[in-house]
Amino acid sequence: MSKRQAATAYGEVIDAISRFLASPPEGTPHEIIQAFDLLGDNSFLPPKLFLETVEQAPVAISITDPNARILYANSAFEKLTGYSRDDVIGKNQSMLSSKSTPMAIYQDLWKTINEGKVWRGTLVNNRKGGDEYLAELSISPVLNSDGRIAYYLGMHRDITELHALEQRLAFQKKLTEAALDAAPMVVAMIDGDGTLLLDNHAYKALIGDLGEEPLRLFLDALRQQIGLDLSHVCGVGEGFTNVEVRLEARGAQSPRWFSCSGVRIVDLNDEARSFFQTGEEAERCCLLLIANEITESRNRIVEARLNMIRANMAEQQMVQTMREAISASLFKLQAPINIIKAAMSMSGSGGDCSNMGPVLRQALDTGEEAIESLHNALPGPRTEQTANVNMNELLHEVLRLSTDSLLAAGVVVDWRAASVLPSLTGRPNALRGLLKYLIDNSVQALNESGRDYREMRLETREENDEVLIAVMDNGMGIPETAILKAFEPFYCGWADSRGHAGMGLTMAQEVAISHGGSIEIDRHFVGGCRVFVRLPYESGAGGAP
Ligand code: FAD
C-alpha cells in the first residue's frame, strides 16, 4: 500500500467509525459500541489512539464501502482469516465465503443492512489456507450526513469450537435421553426444591395412568416410608435403595407399587458467580430417582397371602362351628341330666318314683358319659402368636375375602379408613375372625332387610389411645331389647337362622376382651346397626383364644 493510499484508508476508517459512533444504528450490539467507544466521549480521543484501539480489538473488525469492498481490516481479522491486509483491501467480503452458506442467508443479510438495520448471524467462511470456520458476524450500516449508507462495519469471531462443543453436548444429551427413554423403569431427576429437571418416557406414561404428577406422589410416599427430606439428601445426605412405596392416585383404578432408589448426583454449577468458587460451593446437587414397578409381583404376593388367610379362616371357621355345635349339644344335654338328677333326689327322699331308681341311675350314667365324650371331642382353643397388626390392613384383607358375598348381596361399601393408624399387638387370625364375623352379620342384616339400597360403612380412627373400628349398615338393625341378649351364647335373632349357632358375637366379644378391648352395639344408631370395636394399642393380647 502506498503512503497516499494508506492516508486515505486511515481517513476513511476514522470517518466510518466516528459516524458510526455519532449515531449507532438501532440494534447495534452493545459490545460493538463499547469496542469503539472506549473512552466515552470519542471527540476527545486522538484519532491515532482511536485507530489503535480498533486495531488492538480482540474481534475481527472490517470496514467496507456500500458494496462490501473492504477498506480496512484490523489485526484480529488478519489473524483469524489468515489474509494480510494487503490481500484483502479493495476486495469484496465475498472472498471469505466458503459457498456452504445458503444463498437465502446472504439475501436476508443484504436486505437487512440495505434497510439500515443491523444484521447478526452465522456464516461459513474460508481461511486463506482453505479450511472452513464458523463466523458469528454482525454488520452495522454507517450513514453519511445525507442519511445514505456510507460504510458497513463488520465484526466477527470464530465460533467453530463452540459449535462443535454444542453439537457434542446435544449429541450426549440425545444419547442420554434415548437411553433413559428406552429404560423400562421410571427415571426422574429432581433438585432440592422438588423441581423436576429431567424425566423419561416411563415417567410421562405414568402421568397419563395416574392422572396427576407422579413426582409429588413419590415424594409423599417416600417421606412417609423413610422420612425422606429432599433438601437434606440433596445437601449432605445419602441416597436410598429399594424402598417399596405404594402410589394411590385419584385417577388410578388400584394402587401401584414401586421399588424406589435415589442417587445423589453432584452437578457442577454453571452460574457465572460460581467461577471462583471451589468444592461444595460450586456444586449443585440433585436426586436421581429410579422407580421400578413391582405392582404385578406385589399383587401376586398379596393374592398368595390372601389365599393363605382364606384357608386359615376356613379352618378356623370349621373348628368354630364344631365348638359351637358341641357346646350347644352339651348345653342341651345338661337339661335332661339335671331333670334326672332332680328325679333321683326326689326318689331318694321317698317320692313315687322309688322303683325307678336303677333306671334313672343308668340314664344318668349314660348321659354323663355322653357329656364326657362330648367334652373330649370339643376342639381345644387354637393358640396363636401375637404380632404387630394394623387394623386397616386386616380390615382391607377381610373385605377382599368377603368380596363375593358383598357383590352377591349388592352391598355398596363406604371405606373410611384413617390414613394413618397406630399398630397394635394382637393375634391377627383371631382379629380377622372378629372383623369377618361383623361384616358377615352386616351382609345378612342387609339381605334380611330387603332394602333396595344396601350400604355398609367401615370406619377406623384413633381415639383415646385406642384403635376404633366402626362397622355400620343400613339393614334392619337390632331392637333395643335384644342388644344385650345378642352377646349371650346361643342367642339367634336372625329370621333365617340356618348355619347360626348363636355363638358369633360371643366369640367376637371374647376376642376383643382378650385384646384388652371391647365390642359394643350402638343403641342410639338409627336406620340400621352400628357396632364399635375398641382395641388399645398397648393391649397384651393375652394367651386366650
Ligand atoms: P453475492 O452475489 O455477493 O451475493 C449473494 C446475494 O446477496 C445476491 O444474490 C444478492 O441478493 C445479495 N447481494 C449481494 N450484494 C448485494 C448488494 N450490494 N446489495 C444488495 N444485495 C446484495 N460474506 C461471507 O461469506 N463472509 C463474511 O465474512 C462476510 N462479511 C461481510 C461483511 C460486511 C461488512 C458485508 C457488507 C458483507 C459481508 N459478507 C460476507 C457478504 C458478502 O459481501 C457476499 O454478499 C457473500 O459472501 C456472498 O457472496 P457471493 O459472491 O456468493 O454472492
Side-chain angles (χ1 to χ4, degrees):
M1 198 188 295
S2 70
K3 260 189 170 175
R4 202 179 59 82
Q5 277 175 323
T8 315
Y10 171 76
E12 274 182 312
V13 171
I14 298 291
D15 182 46
I17 296 174
S18 307
R19 281 179 191 286
F20 168 77
L21 286 173
S23 162
E26 207 181 319
T28 303
H30 183 64
E31 58 272 31
I32 293 195
I33 301 177
Q34 255 189 350
F36 289 109
D37 193 16
L38 287 180
L39 296 185
D41 185 351
N42 59 73
S43 58
F44 294 107
L45 188 66
K48 202 163 180 312
L49 179 58
F50 188 56
L51 192 63
E52 199 62 14
T53 310
V54 176
E55 186 59 32
Q56 300 306 323
V59 277
I61 296 173
S62 61
I63 294 170
T64 72
D65 70 6
N67 292 316
R69 204 171 55 88
I70 301 171
L71 303 172
Y72 166 79
N74 72 351
S75 60
F77 187 99
E78 288 182 307
K79 213 187 267 167
L80 178 57
T81 63
Y83 288 110
S84 73
R85 254 172 280 213
D86 284 346
D87 290 336
V88 298
I89 301 289
K91 305 260 173 61
N92 194 289
Q93 290 274 16
S94 64
M95 69 178 292
L96 296 178
S97 170
S98 86
K99 309 300 175 201
S100 308
T101 308
M103 189 53 74
I105 302 279
Y106 294 127
Q107 282 165 352
D108 174 61
L109 178 159
W110 279 106
K111 185 175 175 297
T112 309
I113 59 177
N114 278 345
E115 284 170 4
K117 296 182 201 150
V118 175
W119 183 86
R120 260 174 290 180
T122 307
L123 303 175
V124 186
N125 275 358
N126 261 344
R127 286 187 231 277
K128 189 175 180 181
D131 63 316
E132 286 181 339
Y133 69 96
L134 214 52
E136 188 186 62
L137 175 69
S138 124
I139 304 177
S140 304
V142 180
L143 307 182
N144 65 16
S145 48
D146 303 337
R148 277 184 292 127
I149 293 168
Y151 311 100
Y152 286 117
L153 201 71
M155 292 180 82
H156 80 268
R157 63 187 182 114
D158 183 354
I159 56 159
T160 316
E161 265 182 41
L162 193 72
H163 172 71
L165 218 66
E166 276 173 1
Q167 292 294 100
R168 244 175 284 151
L169 208 68
F171 173 71
Q172 293 289 350
K173 193 165 175 272
K174 275 205 178 119
L175 198 70
T176 313
E177 280 172 359
L180 285 182
D181 282 343
M185 65 275 274
V186 170
V187 180
M189 189 146 105
I190 321 144
D191 71 7
D193 302 326
T195 309
L196 183 67
L197 305 175
L198 185 128
D199 59 17
N200 69 342
H201 268 328
Y203 181 91
K204 289 190 185 83
L206 203 56
I207 303 176
D209 292 353
L210 300 177
E212 61 181 289
E213 189 62 61
L215 182 60
R216 192 190 60 78
L217 296 172
F218 274 117
L219 293 180
D220 280 355
L222 287 165
R223 213 169 288 131
Q224 274 182 19
Q225 193 84 355
I226 52 164
L228 176 76
D229 176 353
L230 196 58
S231 53
H232 178 72
V233 172
C234 288
V236 290
E238 290 193 349
F240 49 88
T241 40
N242 299 333
V243 177
E244 291 192 5
V245 296
R246 171 190 162 114
L247 298 194
E248 208 145 1
R250 277 175 273 130
Q253 297 286 318
S254 50
R256 308 260 298 255
W257 285 89
F258 291 85
S259 168
C260 297
S261 297
V263 185
R264 182 174 173 262
I265 298 218
V266 177
D267 182 17
L268 290 182
N269 196 339
D270 54 9
E271 290 170 12
R273 63 173 59 194
S274 71
F275 185 79
F276 293 108
Q277 291 172 344
T278 49
E280 279 176 16
E281 273 181 323
E283 292 174 357
R284 189 175 53 180
C285 293
C286 311
L287 182 77
L288 187 70
L289 177 72
I290 300 157
N292 234 327
E293 175 139 28
I294 50 165
T295 310
E296 242 178 64
S297 59
R298 185 83 196 197
N299 282 347
R300 273 201 299 274
I301 294 170
V302 169
E303 205 46 52
R305 197 173 125 82
L306 276 178
N307 281 339
M308 219 176 69
I309 294 170
R310 197 175 280 128
N312 206 306
M313 287 186 74
E315 193 191 333
Q316 193 176 321
Q317 184 71 39
M318 202 180 70
V319 172
Q320 182 66 20
T321 310
M322 274 172 68
R323 275 174 67 83
E324 284 178 25
I326 294 171
S327 302
S329 307
L330 281 167
F331 184 74
K332 284 184 184 147
L333 207 56
Q334 199 60 51
I337 284 183
N338 288 346
I339 295 170
I340 294 170
K341 278 185 180 163
M344 282 177 70
S345 70
M346 279 167 62
S347 72
S349 59
D352 292 345
C353 322
S354 50
N355 53 344
M356 296 284 286
V359 181
L360 288 175
R361 166 57 50 202
Q362 198 185 352
L364 184 63
D365 287 348
T366 315
E368 280 179 343
E369 254 174 51
I371 285 184
E372 202 186 324
S373 352
L374 281 174
H375 262 299
N376 291 339
L378 196 66
R382 294 184 53 171
T383 49
E384 188 189 352
Q385 293 292 326
T386 57
N388 249 3
V389 291
N390 182 300
M391 291 309 287
N392 270 350
E393 255 177 56
L394 292 195
L395 198 53
H396 201 263
E397 283 167 3
V398 172
L399 207 55
R400 283 193 63 176
L401 291 175
S402 309
T403 308
D404 288 348
S405 64
L406 288 165
L407 284 175
V411 180
V412 175
V413 176
D414 183 3
W415 169 256
R416 298 192 182 186
S419 54
V420 181
L421 203 60
S423 296
L424 52 91
T425 314
R427 286 171 288 117
N429 279 332
L431 289 168
R432 278 192 203 101
L434 180 157
L435 297 173
K436 179 90 169 63
Y437 178 76
L438 296 183
I439 288 175
D440 287 351
N441 267 4
S442 277
V443 173
Q444 174 136 3
L446 286 164
N447 275 334
E448 291 199 0
S449 73
R451 281 188 203 280
D452 288 339
Y453 179 69
R454 299 168 182 192
E455 187 183 357
M456 182 190 301
R457 186 186 299 169
L458 301 170
E459 247 181 72
T460 59
R461 60 176 182 269
E462 182 193 354
E463 202 174 87
N464 305 328
D465 294 341
E466 288 176 327
V467 170
L468 183 136
I469 303 122
V471 180
M472 280 161 269
D473 61 71
N474 67 337
M476 62 199 188
I478 302 179
E480 170 101 41
T481 46
I483 285 180
L484 278 180
K485 279 197 203 150
F487 291 99
E488 284 174 12
F490 310 115
Y491 170 80
C492 182
W494 299 118
D496 178 3
S497 61
R498 276 173 302 163
H500 293 279
M503 287 297 287
L505 261 186
T506 317
M507 299 288 186
Q509 194 177 38
E510 258 181 52
V511 172
I513 291 171
S514 69
H515 283 79
S518 64
I519 184 165
E520 175 202 346
I521 296 168
D522 182 0
R523 56 183 66 236
H524 306 295
F525 191 73
V526 280
C529 177
R530 174 158 64 182
V531 180
F532 292 120
V533 178
R534 291 189 167 82
L535 300 167
Y537 343 131
E538 298 302 330
S539 91

